Each structure stands twice: as structure tokens, then as C-alpha cells.
Amino acid sequence: MFFKNKIEIYSNRIPVSFLKDFICTYPKNLPSYFKNIPKTYPFKVGRNFNIRTCSGFLNFFKRSIVLKSPFDISLEIKDKQIFCEFGSGSYSNENNLGVHNSEQFLKYVDQNKYEIITKFIFGVFIKCKFPVLVTNPWWSMNDFEIIPGILNCKKPTELNLFLPIKKNQSRITIKQGTPLCMLHFECEKDLKLVFKQEKINPKNYNGLEYLKTNLKNMVLKNKI
């Protein structure tokens, strides 16, 4: 079957042949504990309900992709500085972590929960004809969270993940294979996930390399 509606995945640093095992569709995207939940309860009379028979839960995973961490990741926070290590350290020099200064967001918010917002930059790009919703993988019960957002991916768009650091938080440890985020696609048609071997050069596209801001090219129209 010829699929016009493709989700193309590119990777500039992590080999695609390795990365594809960490981009999971249903049923491989289900939480690890799902298999431990019984379909029915023994010796119980009447209707048996649990997460296995929740359409909201099942539809959520049937309609989404889970991106799992390709690395063991360690973040240490000391005196508002962040020290990070990816794997044994060989990927730690690849600029995988960025930090957003408070003037970009937190300075203007009346809150006492978060200290810093960091950004995972793995060099992974997505291209598809429809918007991509990025959400926190709540069902995985992680000790960290990912800030949600929607990407306009008509051109190859880098999948950067924003991870807030809580006040008084000194360390975050993420094991390889831990779900980092979920990707949802605003499209009712059948989709095909395609892993591309080409590298993405942002200078080939009219973006921040040439403009002070490319907001008008990336922001989507009102949905409602």
C-alpha cells in the first residue's frame, strides 16, 4: 500500500538503526506494568473493570508513539548549575542538554515549584504533513515530567523535549528505555512511520539560520 501520510524520522547523531528501537508504537508503547494487570478478577461476581477494559487508556496508546530514552541520563543540579552525562559519557559532548534562562518563561510566573527549565536536544527530527502533539508520558509514573507542546512539522523539525527542574531537586536519573514523551498526530488517516538515513541540515531550510524569528512560519491556525 502506498502511504501519502508518512511520519518521517531523521537523526543527525544517534544512528537511525539504533534509535528506531526506542520509538515505539502500539502495543510496544504500553507501560511495562500493563502485562501484570489481570483481564478479569477471579471469584468476583458482576462486571470486572480495570485499565485493560478502559477505552480511554487503550485509545490513547493506539493513537500515539512513545519515545523512550536511548541513553542512561544523569542530571545533577548544584548552585543553579546543571551537570549532565549521557551514557558512559561519549555522547555527553554532543550538546544534548540546553538550559532556558528565566527571562524566557519562569520569571513572569507566580510559582514556587520550578527552578530551571532544561531541554533535551538529541538531534532527532520529524517531518509530516500534520501537527504533532507532544505530551508527558504520565502513565509511566516517571520521577520527572515533560512540558507539552504542538509542533508544525511540514519541514523537518527538531524534536526538543523540555524538562523542568523542581526547586531543591539535586539529581535526576533516567535509565535507557524510560519513556520520555508521547507523540500524537492530528490526522484521522492511516499513518506510516518511516526512518530515514539522510541527515538534516537546518541551513537547507528558511529558518533561524536566516531569520531572527520564524514564528509566523511555524505557528498554526486556530483550531476552534
Side-chain angles (χ1 to χ4, degrees), residues 58-74:
L58 294 174
N59 288 338
F60 189 68
F61 285 91
K62 282 177 174 286
R63 292 293 187 103
S64 64
I65 290 174
V66 170
L67 170 63
K68 298 181 179 180
S69 178
F71 310 101
D72 286 334
I73 301 175
S74 297

Side-chain angles (χ1 to χ4, degrees), residues 17-110:
S17 58
F18 182 81
L19 178 68
K20 65 191 306 182
D21 290 334
F22 296 90
I23 298 179
C24 303
T25 58
Y26 186 86
K28 292 183 178 180
N29 62 356
L30 288 167
S32 58
Y33 57 76
F34 185 78
K35 62 182 181 295
N36 299 326
I37 300 174
K39 293 182 178 180
T40 59
Y41 297 107
F43 312 114
K44 178 176 174 56
V45 178
R47 306 170 93 186
N48 296 331
F49 289 117
N50 61 28
I51 206 70
R52 276 187 172 272
T53 55
C54 174
S55 61
F57 175 89
L58 294 174
N59 288 338
F60 189 68
F61 285 91
K62 282 177 174 286
R63 292 293 187 103
S64 64
I65 290 174
V66 170
L67 170 63
K68 298 181 179 180
S69 178
F71 310 101
D72 286 334
I73 301 175
S74 297
L75 303 179
E76 291 194 18
I77 303 95
K78 185 176 182 181
D79 299 328
K80 295 188 178 182
Q81 295 188 64
I82 300 178
F83 305 89
C84 60
E85 187 172 57
F86 295 82
S88 62
S90 60
Y91 268 99
S92 297
N93 297 323
E94 298 280 357
N95 297 321
N96 287 319
L97 187 77
V99 177
H100 275 231
N101 60 53
S102 61
E103 283 75 12
Q104 291 180 293
F105 172 50
L106 287 179
K107 178 181 178 180
Y108 311 102
V109 182
D110 184 15

Side-chain angles (χ1 to χ4, degrees), residues 142-156:
N142 292 330
D143 293 329
F144 61 90
E145 56 188 314
I146 295 295
I147 299 174
I150 295 182
L151 303 177
N152 183 346
C153 296
K154 291 182 179 178
K155 297 179 181 179

